[in-house]
């Protein structure tokens, strides 16, 4: 395995870029290939077997591109990654366990709310981890937030009002930590912070980046490159899926193209 090979990262759309931001910040010399799977978007309202098979297909395609590790920068796909994990011989990093643990450690009261897609919530992984650690958990399926996060208008007052309407069931709940259990929701952080001013928001990027770094170090797979690594943005259908949506990225990237 070549230490200087790229790392594959994917999501159904641009949500996983919130994770890539953290990966790039922690490991600037690594090369990353990011796939927005716009041909199969959205993931969170599909069936378990559809997503499991899609995750395996994408994993195989990444391995053909000689990646040294894959980061599943999507909670819905992470909850359905077992087939790929069983098949692959390279590290497959998922987001749910590190994010749940980070939220648990940060919560004072051990009262935690989690918002995620319909499929992620129905599979109960966040709830199981947190309850096993004796936290009180409030969960809410909020797949309707995904298109709001994908929209170039995500900062508008209208979008903020829609976000409020969707997360309303959590308003009267007593928690001090809110897990953004869908990587798209990191893009709605400002609106969510306004709605829940007493909660700390925990997104998936930081904890996942630490997990990847630890794994690469453990396997002696960190790049030896001294200069900045590259970022390639790919999609499975139309490169326009990135159009007008990624002006907030802090790193340089090549012009998006089809997979
Ligand atoms: N970003 C994905 C996640 O973290 C889901 C978005 C979708 O439903 O496609 O769950």
């Amino acid at each position: 395995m070549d230490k200087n090979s790229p790392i594959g990262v994917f999501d159904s759309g641009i949500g996983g870029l919130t994770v890539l931001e953290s990966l790039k910040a922690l490991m600037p010399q690594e090369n990353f290939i990011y796939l927005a799977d716009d041909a199969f978007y959205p993931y969170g309202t599909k069936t378990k077997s559809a997503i499991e098979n899609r995750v395996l297909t994408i994993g195989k395609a990444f391995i053909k591109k000689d990646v040294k590790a894959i980061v599943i920068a999507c909670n819905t796909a992470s909850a359905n990654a077992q087939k790929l994990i069983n098949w692959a011989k390279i590290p497959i990093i998922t987001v749910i366990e590190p994010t749940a643990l980070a939220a648990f450690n940060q919560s004072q009261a051990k009262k935690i709310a989690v918002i995620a897609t319909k499929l992620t919530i129905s599979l109960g992984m966040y709830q199981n981890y947190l309850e096993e650690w004796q936290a009180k958990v409030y969960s809410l399926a909020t797949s309707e937030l995904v298109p709001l996060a994908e929209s170039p208008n995500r900062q508008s007052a209208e979008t903020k009002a829609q976000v409020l309407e969707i997360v309303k069931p959590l308003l009267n709940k007593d928690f001090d930590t809110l897990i953004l259990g869908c990587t798209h929701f990191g893009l709605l952080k400002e609106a969510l912070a306004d709605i829940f001013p007493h909660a700390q928001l925990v997104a998936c990027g930081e904890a996942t980046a630490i997990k990847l770094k630890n794994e690469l170090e453990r396997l002696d797979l960190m790049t030896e490159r001294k200069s900045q690594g590259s970022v390639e943005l790919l999609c499975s259908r139309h490169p326009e899926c990135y159009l007008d949506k990624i002006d907030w990225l802090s790193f340089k990237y090549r012009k998006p193209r089809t997979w």
Side-chain angles (χ1 to χ4, degrees):
M1 173 84 60
D2 185 349
K3 292 181 182 193
N4 293 326
S5 295
I7 296 161
V9 182
F10 75 95
D11 179 36
S12 61
I14 61 163
L17 290 171
T18 60
V19 176
L20 183 57
E21 275 281 328
S22 303
L23 302 177
K24 194 67 192 151
L26 195 63
M27 290 157 279
Q29 289 88 13
E30 296 289 349
N31 283 349
F32 291 95
I33 306 178
Y34 181 88
L35 173 73
D37 188 14
D38 61 324
F40 218 70
Y41 166 90
Y43 283 175
T45 49
K46 294 198 167 66
T47 62
K48 179 170 178 53
S49 68
I51 300 302
E52 265 177 349
N53 291 333
R54 188 64 179 173
V55 169
L56 182 61
T57 302
I58 290 176
K60 286 182 174 176
F62 264 131
I63 289 166
K64 270 200 185 141
K65 287 182 182 286
D66 281 330
V67 298
K68 64 181 176 185
I70 295 175
V71 177
I72 305 186
C74 170
N75 291 265
T76 314
S78 291
N80 293 289
Q82 207 49 53
K83 273 192 183 172
L84 174 61
I85 292 170
N86 294 345
W87 181 83
K89 296 192 171 51
I90 61 168
I92 307 293
I93 306 297
T94 54
V95 294
I96 296 182
E97 199 242 19
T99 306
L101 188 58
F104 180 77
N105 287 336
Q106 282 176 46
S107 172
Q108 292 279 318
K110 307 301 177 204
K111 293 177 181 172
I112 302 171
V114 53
I115 51 174
T117 64
K118 199 169 146 223
L119 185 55
T120 303
I121 293 295
S122 75
L123 294 172
M125 281 178 75
Y126 274 110
Q127 298 96 306
N128 292 344
Y129 280 124
L130 296 166
E131 279 166 7
E132 200 177 296
W133 303 327
Q134 314 291 320
K136 168 87 185 141
V137 188
Y138 302 98
S139 59
L140 183 68
T142 53
S143 284
E144 303 83 357
L145 291 179
V146 175
L148 299 182
E150 278 280 329
S151 155
N153 292 329
R154 73 179 82 87
Q155 304 286 7
S156 69
E158 192 196 347
T159 301
K160 286 185 177 171
Q162 286 173 290
V163 173
L164 173 61
E165 204 45 47
I166 294 165
V167 299
K168 234 178 191 168
L170 288 176
L171 278 179
N172 61 350
K173 301 289 187 288
D174 173 27
F175 57 88
D176 67 0
T177 302
L178 173 65
I179 298 179
L180 309 186
C182 167
T183 54
H184 276 80
F185 302 169
L187 295 163
L188 300 170
K189 223 172 175 171
E190 282 168 28
L192 290 164
D194 285 349
I195 297 168
F196 300 107
H198 303 298
Q200 52 181 339
L201 271 41
V202 178
C204 302
E206 264 175 54
T208 305
I210 294 168
K211 184 173 164 188
L212 173 66
K213 187 161 184 269
N214 288 343
E215 192 61 3
L216 293 180
E217 281 171 352
R218 190 179 69 81
L219 297 167
D220 194 21
L221 276 178
M222 291 289 286
T223 182
E224 284 157 347
R225 197 176 300 109
K226 298 281 177 273
S227 55
Q228 280 282 332
S230 62
V231 176
E232 258 192 85
L233 298 183
L234 303 177
C235 61
S236 48
R237 187 176 280 156
H238 294 303
E240 291 74 32
C241 72
Y242 289 103
L243 199 67
D244 297 333
K245 296 186 194 171
I246 55 173
D247 52 347
W248 50 276
L249 286 178
S250 65
F251 49 80
K252 286 200 184 117
Y253 50 86
R254 296 192 195 137
K255 190 169 173 255
R257 61 182 177 83
T258 306
W259 181 243

